[in-house]
Amino acid sequence: MSTMKDSTPKAINIKDYTQPRFWIDTVDLMFELGEEHTRVHSTLALRKTQGFPGSCPLVLQGEQMQLGVIRLDGTALGSTDYEVSEDELTIHQVPDQFSLEIETLIKPQENTALEGLYKSSGNFCTQCEAEGFRRITYYLDRPDVMAKFTTTVIADKQDYPVLLSNGNPVDQGEYDDGRHWVKWQDPFKKPCYLFALVAGDLGHIEDRFTTVSGREIVLRIYVEPHNIDHCVHAMASLKRSMKWDEDVYGREYDLDLYNIVAVDDFNMGAMENKGLNVFNSKCVLAKQETATDSDFINIEGVIAHEYFHNWSGN
């Protein structure tokens, strides 16, 4: 007889905190975005936490996905080497330091929870706070596990000309079948709840900000094409926020590119993903002819709030 999983939220107290048994140092992700399903390849560099006695299994969180092949240090695992439950992947025996490759299939177009990777109004978008990343791939989905992410996004070029993720773009190319790809690299460690991906047919405005040390930062705000003329105030607010943070706290932005995406269907007000903030359109868009003073003040406040998150957690 099957039993229903208890979905009642459970309190987690700081006094009960324990370190994870494993840490993830680097994450290499590849997304093949498709209309029927999306294939996610992840390669994790893991190491066991010092101080845990003996061997212990690796337990990763994961929900609402189909598991494909698993490779441990390049060798495919057999069905007796691991166990899959409704919300976890357990690998019974692992060394103290190893590489783990996992392939998963997900269906963003059916993701009505809007957590993890979902598709709405023709665009792919992510929301990983607080525990959405486990709907993308199996992972140690907890905020104290910090890793460096490299992400390659592959999609049809005509339908999804814009491919974005965290950090700086380091490479790109095209395939003969009409798809293209962009590789993004975030040089700073982050928890997986700050991972972001956006793919779609979006327009953008662009500006520059020169930091106190003379570095030129590219600033872009991506929106759905019908909103392209509503972004000027948000861009000015971003530049004022960057200048204020330098003047007051000596904080100079640490990437080469700062992207904001504003879409009508984002399920939160805004999200501070590293280098790729995602907003609901109402928190970014305003025109002098239609917006009120309160609209302009609120937009400046939200833009600044998410920018300042570059230095702080939730």
Side-chain angles (χ1 to χ4, degrees):
M1 185 175 73
S2 62
T3 58
M4 295 292 291
K5 180 184 174 183
D6 183 6
S7 60
T8 305
K10 296 177 177 61
I12 301 174
N13 300 309
I14 292 177
K15 65 181 178 64
D16 299 324
Y17 172 80
T18 58
Q19 290 190 52
R21 293 195 172 191
F22 295 88
W23 299 98
I24 301 174
D25 291 318
T26 62
V27 183
D28 197 318
L29 297 168
M30 183 171 68
F31 290 80
E32 297 181 68
L33 303 177
E35 303 306 315
E36 297 299 323
H37 62 258
T38 288
R39 190 179 303 274
V40 183
H41 305 257
S42 83
T43 302
L44 313 177
L46 295 107
R47 56 185 167 85
K48 183 183 174 184
T49 302
Q50 292 185 355
F52 278 103
S55 62
C56 54
L58 172 68
V59 181
L60 304 176
Q61 292 76 47
E63 300 175 0
Q64 305 293 318
M65 67 184 77
Q66 179 183 337
L67 177 62
V69 67
I70 308 173
R71 293 186 178 90
L72 179 64
D73 286 335
T75 301
L77 298 184
S79 59
T80 59
D81 296 323
Y82 61 90
E83 182 179 344
V84 180
S85 69
E86 184 180 357
D87 55 8
E88 289 182 340
L89 166 65
T90 300
I91 301 176
H92 301 307
Q93 291 187 338
V94 295
D96 288 350
Q97 188 167 342
F98 57 99
S99 171
L100 186 67
E101 300 173 56
I102 303 174
E103 180 183 284
T104 56
L105 287 179
I106 56 177
K107 294 188 176 182
Q109 71 278 9
E110 298 178 6
N111 182 4
T112 57
L114 305 185
E115 295 178 343
L117 178 65
Y118 64 91
K119 189 176 182 183
S120 186
S121 298
N123 299 310
F124 288 93
C125 190
T126 56
Q127 170 53 36
C128 292
E129 189 185 31
E131 296 179 338
F133 193 78
R134 65 185 63 189
R135 289 173 172 261
I136 294 173
T137 187
Y138 288 95
Y139 199 78
L140 291 171
D141 191 356
R142 46 188 287 173
D144 56 349
V145 175
M146 309 270 282
K148 293 183 179 181
F149 281 69
T150 300
T151 305
T152 302
V153 188
I154 305 169
D156 182 85
K157 186 176 183 178
Q158 181 173 345
D159 293 336
Y160 309 101
V162 174
L163 306 176
L164 305 174
S165 191
N166 307 90
N168 299 314
V170 294
D171 203 358
Q172 60 184 340
E174 298 183 7
Y175 296 112
D176 294 337
D177 60 3
R179 296 184 301 164
H180 68 141
W181 58 272
V182 180
K183 184 175 184 178
W184 294 82
Q185 193 169 70
D186 186 351
F188 302 103
K189 288 188 172 184
K190 63 173 178 287
C192 64
Y193 82 84
L194 291 176
F195 172 79
L197 181 154
V198 174
D201 187 4
L202 302 170
H204 77 275
I205 66 169
E206 183 174 310
D207 207 335
R208 299 287 194 279
F209 178 81
T210 302
T211 69
V212 66
S213 69
R215 294 172 53 240
E216 188 174 72
I217 311 300
V218 178
L219 312 176
R220 291 180 183 146
I221 299 180
Y222 289 86
V223 294
E224 293 163 90
H226 62 276
N227 290 325
I228 196 70
D229 61 342
H230 289 64
C231 303
V232 174
H233 176 66
M235 181 65 80
S237 298
L238 174 60
K239 295 177 73 174
R240 285 194 293 271
S241 301
M242 299 177 82
K243 179 67 164 58
W244 186 88
D245 219 17
E246 288 186 345
D247 292 345
V248 176
Y249 290 110
R251 292 291 195 178
E252 179 178 322
Y253 183 62
D254 51 359
L255 292 170
D256 302 325
L257 174 65
Y258 192 91
N259 283 325
I260 289 174
V261 174
V263 290
D264 294 342
D265 300 320
F266 189 56
N267 68 332
M268 299 180 70
M271 185 61 206
E272 67 271 16
N273 313 297
K274 179 70 178 183
L276 178 56
N277 291 178
V278 182
F279 288 72
N280 188 285
S281 296
K282 68 181 181 181
C283 297
V284 171
L285 307 178
K287 284 185 70 173
Q288 200 73 42
E289 295 82 356
T290 56
T292 66
D293 289 348
S294 294
D295 292 333
F296 284 109
I297 292 170
N298 290 338
I299 288 169
E300 183 165 37
V302 176
I303 291 285
H305 175 99
E306 303 305 335
Y307 174 73
F308 299 148
H309 258 306
N310 191 64
W311 309 112
S312 63
N314 187 9

